Amino acid sequence: MLLTLFASPSFAQFQADSFIEKLLKKHPERFSEILKNPDKYQVQILYTRIDRNKKNEPHFTTHGYRVNRNAYFYPASTVKLPAVALAFEKLNKLGIDKYTPMLTGVDRAGQTPVSTDTTAENGLPSVAHYAKKILLASDNDAFNRLYEFIGQEELNDSLHKKGYSDTRIVHRLESPMNAEENRYTNPVRFEKDGKIIYQQPGKYAGKELKAPSQILKGKGYLKNGELINEPFDFTYKNAFPLEEQHKMLKALFFPAQTPVNQRFNLTEDDYRFIYQYMSQFPVETDFPASYTDDYYDGYVKFLMFGATKTRLPRHIRLFNKSGDAYGFLLDNAYIADFEKGIEFMLTAVIYCNEDQIFNDNEYEYETVGLPFMANLGKTIFEYELGRKRAVRPELDRFEVQYDK
């Protein structure tokens, strides 16, 4: 079916229509293998067309392909976007500027402290700098520090209250901690001019968060170098369904068209910050200064650009958060071409694990996932380029100033 959204309704659960599938079938050279084996690749896609009226107000039309909130995929780094939004929201509630130094302590074995950040201009960690590193280069430690600041229980309660009922963010990334240890988060404090302005003790999440039923995938996994011939258990892993990722993207880019109880409590400067660093290329960045050749323009820009390492056009911007882990490759993007007056939202996931073994680092990201993402973005962009618009969108809100 077709889901049409006007001023205030949020994205609702819906059945997939045939629009995207028909579009993909027009390009067998790009998608024939995927379309022949949709179950194998576990593809899910959401695309939102945006039309503006004479007042520049957006009207949304959303199409889905194989979207199923009960079909679990591991969300990888896409969980970092809600962490950024909720960290800013928490700071606003506390009345603390996002650039204020945030120092992380420890009160349990296995936790690690932070008192300096050599990648920041002033050498000190802050929520703003962590958020920048997340949005620019998907930094895992930066996410872990925001997870610790927000706290597991507060993080999930806040999302559930906003309508993200099936989202669970329950663990740090690239961390040896188990499910119970991830319920504990570090003490943090904010300092200004050498004085503590806010101190938060370590927290423990009283509610155990896990999938409603056991989630087993694949046929084996490596553990300490040994192959375990049984499915891998994702029951205690993070979850962020495609519909809720797409809904969050809309809430951040079109807050005026989002119900009040589903919005994030962000300032205009917060929105500008998010838009800037979601779309800025690493080479346009002053700090961290370490973003050199390894961080090419298309780094973490999967849709439209895939594994492209050449210089990308500056008039096309992906405001996105991507991720890859356990063979799942994802991207969630608002895409704008400021020269041609094109804008749309596109969210997708594909599974790239031919041998069905986890933790063996044998995933087909380069040969299957990234080409699919690039082709999907190009196909939707070409459709957008060819369709007529009654009104050219005014995209001033998203034209931000980059570092350099």
Side-chain angles (χ1 to χ4, degrees):
M1 66 170 280
L2 193 66
L3 180 65
T4 302
L5 303 175
F6 293 93
S8 63
S10 63
F11 286 101
Q13 195 167 10
F14 62 95
Q15 295 179 356
D17 64 6
S18 61
F19 175 85
I20 294 175
E21 185 172 10
K22 288 178 179 177
L23 200 57
L24 302 188
K25 285 181 175 178
K26 290 180 180 179
H27 298 276
E29 76 285 1
R30 297 176 177 175
F31 303 109
S32 60
E33 180 64 21
I34 304 296
L35 291 169
K36 277 190 272 184
N37 299 283
D39 291 331
K40 172 183 175 181
Y41 294 109
Q42 301 179 33
V43 172
Q44 296 186 50
I45 304 169
L46 277 169
Y47 154 61
T48 292
R49 191 180 79 193
I50 304 169
D51 293 287
R52 304 271 184 161
N53 62 20
K54 292 181 180 179
K55 296 180 180 179
N56 198 47
E57 296 168 334
H59 164 103
F60 307 95
T61 306
T62 297
H63 300 276
Y65 173 74
R66 294 179 61 85
V67 177
N68 179 359
R69 65 174 54 235
N70 296 316
Y72 177 83
F73 59 83
Y74 182 70
S77 291
T78 58
V79 300
K80 296 171 184 174
L81 183 59
V84 169
L86 288 176
F88 285 178
E89 184 174 83
K90 182 168 182 172
L91 287 179
N92 292 335
K93 183 178 180 181
L94 294 170
I96 300 173
D97 184 87
K98 57 181 169 285
Y99 298 94
T100 304
M102 181 181 85
L103 308 181
T104 302
V106 298
D107 57 11
R108 287 179 58 82
Q111 294 181 350
T112 55
V114 182
S115 58
T116 62
D117 188 341
T118 58
T119 70
E121 185 173 10
N122 64 356
L124 294 171
S126 67
V127 168
H129 197 65
Y130 285 138
K132 182 195 292 190
K133 291 195 287 186
I134 284 170
L135 299 178
L136 281 168
S138 203
D139 189 287
N140 285 328
D141 179 71
F143 163 78
N144 294 345
R145 300 310 174 179
L146 297 190
Y147 173 90
E148 292 160 358
F149 165 54
I150 302 164
Q152 186 193 98
E153 189 165 349
E154 182 179 338
L155 193 160
N156 287 277
D157 283 350
S158 297
L159 290 175
H160 296 164
K161 287 175 184 176
K162 294 181 192 300
Y164 302 96
S165 57
D166 290 327
T167 295
R168 295 185 308 278
I169 302 178
V170 293
H171 61 81
R172 298 165 176 85
L173 299 179
E174 282 196 338
S175 165
M177 293 186 181
N178 60 31
E180 177 65 16
E181 290 168 329
N182 274 302
R183 294 169 72 175
Y184 290 90
T185 48
N186 306 36
V188 299
R189 69 183 188 275
F190 289 82
E191 293 187 355
K192 187 174 183 180
D193 300 326
K195 296 180 180 179
I196 297 174
I197 61 171
Y198 174 73
Q199 194 156 354
Q200 177 178 285
K203 291 187 175 184
Y204 177 71
K207 295 183 291 186
E208 181 183 57
L209 291 171
K210 62 178 182 176
S213 58
Q214 191 174 32
I215 301 173
L216 299 175
K217 299 188 79 71
K219 64 181 184 182
Y221 59 94
L222 288 183
K223 184 176 182 180
N224 299 323
E226 179 185 353
L227 177 61
I228 310 298
N229 288 301
E230 57 185 54
F232 190 73
D233 192 347
F234 284 90
T235 307
Y236 289 91
K237 294 290 188 182
N238 292 333
F240 194 11
L242 204 76
E243 283 180 86
E244 298 193 0
Q245 293 202 25
H246 205 66
K247 172 183 172 179
M248 186 172 296
L249 189 72
K250 177 176 176 282
L252 290 172
F253 281 79
F254 300 95
Q257 284 71 42
T258 300
V260 174
N261 64 343
Q262 295 180 17
R263 295 177 196 169
F264 292 90
N265 180 25
L266 303 179
T267 66
E268 278 305 306
D269 185 73
D270 293 336
Y271 284 115
R272 182 210 58 77
F273 184 103
I274 289 171
Y275 301 160
Q276 177 180 344
Y277 293 112
M278 281 183 80
S279 60
Q280 181 167 301
F281 297 123
V283 295
E284 296 174 316
T285 305
D286 289 324
F287 295 94
S290 58
Y291 293 157
T292 54
D293 293 345
D294 289 340
Y295 297 91
Y296 48 91
D297 282 2
Y299 186 76
V300 302
K301 303 292 184 187
F302 299 162
L303 289 165
M304 289 189 68
F305 302 120
T308 302
K309 294 187 178 180
T310 56
R311 190 180 192 275
L312 298 181
R314 270 31 187 176
H315 60 91
I316 299 175
R317 295 284 175 166
L318 265 70
F319 301 78
N320 75 311
K321 186 69 207 76
S322 60
D324 61 271
Y326 294 115
F328 294 98
L329 191 75
L330 312 96
D331 208 349
N332 183 26
Y334 168 80
I335 299 174
D337 184 327
F338 293 97
E339 280 189 3
K340 296 181 173 64
I342 290 172
E343 62 171 341
F344 60 96
M345 290 185 290
L346 184 60
T347 311
V349 58
I350 184 171
Y351 182 54
C352 318
N353 190 11
E354 186 75 30
D355 64 8
Q356 294 295 302
I357 304 295
F358 294 101
N359 293 334
D360 62 354
N361 289 322
E362 296 290 332
Y363 304 123
E364 292 72 43
Y365 296 136
E366 298 285 338
T367 57
V368 176
L370 290 171
F372 167 77
M373 286 291 182
N375 285 329
L376 176 63
K378 289 174 187 174
T379 299
I380 299 295
F381 184 84
E382 289 164 1
Y383 166 76
E384 286 281 342
L385 193 60
R387 77 177 183 88
K388 293 182 179 179
R389 287 173 173 75
V391 177
R392 181 185 172 98
E394 296 174 11
L395 303 175
D396 298 356
R397 178 176 176 81
F398 309 119
E399 289 195 89
V400 293
Q401 184 71 40
Y402 297 112
D403 289 352
K404 58 183 180 181

